[in-house]
Amino acid sequence: LKPFHRPVGPSAQGDHENLNKNNWVIKLESLRQISERVIVAEACKIIIMKLKNVEEYILDKINSMKDTTNIDYSAEIELNNENHTIGEILSRRIRLHDNGRFAGFVMKHPDSNNILLEYKTEGTTFTRVIQDVVKELVSDYTVIIKKFT
């Protein structure tokens, strides 16, 4: 990732269209500093890394709070240094999980890099749901990486 940390302007413009629950059309036009294929693959790698970090943080947070709070099925967890992207990815997939009854997130300010993730599960703990969700997402993004490299 080192080449991507150079101080340059935006390297691409993009948009998306949701065709249905499982199909999207993503339009990406590179400004030719970096190819579209590299941008997509690197973005997916970053998302995978962030998802794994968030999963570890959430599981640690749940384990540390179990003695004082019942957060197995419903709670709010603040995620520091995360933004709309991770909030939307996680909340959408938690809602699609068979045991996910509710998931949403709030960013208190657009310039903030903290989100508050709220969830409610039924039939299994949030620990199980978040593990399933992250595993599925990592698999999905890995498929995309393979298609673009």
Side-chain angles (χ1 to χ4, degrees):
L1 292 178
K2 288 183 178 133
F4 298 102
H5 292 285
R6 285 186 235 139
V8 296
S11 58
Q13 295 179 0
D15 194 12
H16 69 277
E17 178 183 353
N18 186 2
L19 300 176
N20 59 46
K21 179 178 165 184
N22 296 312
N23 292 299
W24 298 73
V25 173
I26 298 173
K27 301 167 192 157
L28 179 67
E29 183 178 351
S30 167
L31 300 177
R32 303 297 179 243
Q33 295 161 315
I34 305 167
S35 76
E36 288 90 350
R37 297 178 91 63
V38 171
I39 291 169
V40 170
E42 291 303 315
C44 289
K45 289 176 188 176
I46 291 167
I47 290 171
I48 288 171
M49 178 189 68
K50 288 178 140 306
L51 287 168
K52 289 179 178 180
N53 290 342
V54 166
E55 176 188 28
E56 182 180 340
Y57 174 80
I58 289 173
L59 295 176
D60 287 347
K61 185 84 166 174
I62 288 171
N63 286 331
S64 70
M65 294 176 66
K66 273 190 176 181
D67 294 337
T68 59
T69 310
N70 183 8
I71 62 171
D72 285 335
Y73 297 95
S74 178
E76 295 177 349
I77 296 178
E78 185 169 7
L79 302 175
N80 297 319
N81 299 316
E82 293 302 340
N83 60 26
H84 178 62
T85 302
I86 291 297
E88 185 62 32
I89 290 169
L90 283 175
S91 63
R92 179 181 289 264
R93 192 57 71 97
I94 292 165
R95 287 190 304 267
L96 293 173
H97 190 280
D98 289 341
N99 299 100
R101 293 300 165 251
F102 171 80
F105 72 98
V106 173
M107 284 184 70
K108 295 183 180 184
H109 191 275
D111 292 337
S112 170
N113 268 342
N114 297 328
I115 61 173
L116 188 62
L117 178 68
E118 184 176 353
Y119 63 87
K120 181 174 182 160
T121 64
E122 188 175 275
T124 193
T125 64
F126 186 65
T127 298
R128 178 79 263 147
V129 170
I130 197 67
Q131 289 170 328
D132 291 349
V133 162
V134 170
K135 183 178 178 181
E136 292 169 4
L137 286 166
V138 167
S139 176
D140 291 349
Y141 284 107
T142 301
V143 168
I144 295 170
I145 291 168
K146 287 178 182 175
K147 289 185 184 234
F148 280 84
T149 55

